[in-house]
Amino acid sequence: GASALGLSERQMVRLMASVRQHGPSGLMHGNRGNQHTRKYDLVEQEKVLKLVKGQYSDVNDTHLAELLKEHEKIEMGWESLRRLLRGVGMTPKKKRRGKVSRRRRDRRSALGAMIQLDSSLHAWLKGQDPFGLTGGIDDATNKVWA
C-alpha cells in the first residue's frame, strides 16, 4: 500500500493507526475547520473599515497600513489590509499609470554621420592607478572605431 500511494512504510503505519482511532476522518488534516490563529477579529476589521471610510478615505493601502500602526496602534500588514478592502468592494485610490510607448531612434544613414563615445574610469590593471577607457562606435554600421 505504501508504494502504491508513494509513501514510506512508516507514514503508512501512522495513517493506518489514525484511521483505526478516528475512522475515515483520521486521514484529514487536524486543523481542518479551525480558524486561522493570526486572523484579525471582526471588531478590529470593522474599526479599520470605519476609519478608511472616514478620516483615511484618501490614503492608499500601503500608507494606510503605516498610519494605522502609527496613530491607531493597529498592526495590519498592507496585503491583509488590501485583501480586507477589496473584499468589501473598496477599490484602490489611484489608478495605475499606463505604459508609455517609446519608439527607438532610427539609425543614421551614412557611415561616420554619428560616432557614439563612451568612457569609464576604472582600475583596469592590478596595482596601477585608475585610468579611463574610451570607446567609439559608428551609429550607422555598428563598426567599432576606437
Side-chain angles (χ1 to χ4, degrees):
S3 63
L5 293 173
L7 300 173
S8 67
E9 289 182 35
R10 176 69 189 126
Q11 184 64 21
M12 193 66 186
V13 170
R14 291 178 67 229
L15 287 175
M16 290 188 327
S18 181
V19 168
R20 282 189 198 108
Q21 186 176 6
H22 302 289
S25 64
L27 296 175
M28 291 188 270
H29 195 277
N31 285 340
R32 185 177 178 153
N34 294 340
Q35 288 284 336
H36 193 283
T37 55
R38 296 179 66 186
K39 184 175 181 178
Y40 298 102
D41 62 339
L42 291 175
V43 174
E44 193 170 58
Q45 289 181 3
E46 290 298 323
K47 183 178 178 183
V48 168
L49 290 173
K50 185 178 176 185
L51 288 167
V52 170
K53 290 176 183 172
Q55 71 187 81
Y56 298 121
S57 62
D58 58 342
V59 178
N60 68 28
D61 302 341
T62 307
H63 191 205
L64 176 62
E66 294 169 359
L67 290 175
L68 288 174
K69 183 177 180 180
E70 184 179 332
H71 298 293
E72 309 298 332
K73 306 297 184 245
I74 298 174
E75 286 203 38
M76 183 179 277
W78 68 268
E79 179 61 25
S80 300
L81 190 58
R82 186 195 67 80
R83 213 175 304 123
L84 172 66
L85 297 177
R86 299 307 171 272
V88 295
M90 297 178 119
T91 58
K93 302 299 181 242
K94 291 185 179 179
K95 299 285 183 204
R96 291 188 184 270
R97 254 189 261 171
K99 289 187 176 180
V100 177
S101 176
R102 291 189 173 87
R103 195 176 141 264
R104 288 192 173 265
R105 172 186 60 75
D106 291 333
R107 290 187 177 273
R108 298 289 184 208
S109 58
L111 174 71
M114 182 166 85
I115 306 293
Q116 296 178 345
L117 298 173
D118 191 18
S119 65
S120 61
L121 187 64
H122 185 71
W124 296 100
L125 303 174
K126 276 189 173 180
Q128 296 212 358
D129 292 335
F131 60 90
L133 179 67
T134 304
I137 189 167
D138 180 62
D139 186 61
T141 63
N142 247 13
K143 178 184 171 194
V144 177
W145 281 61

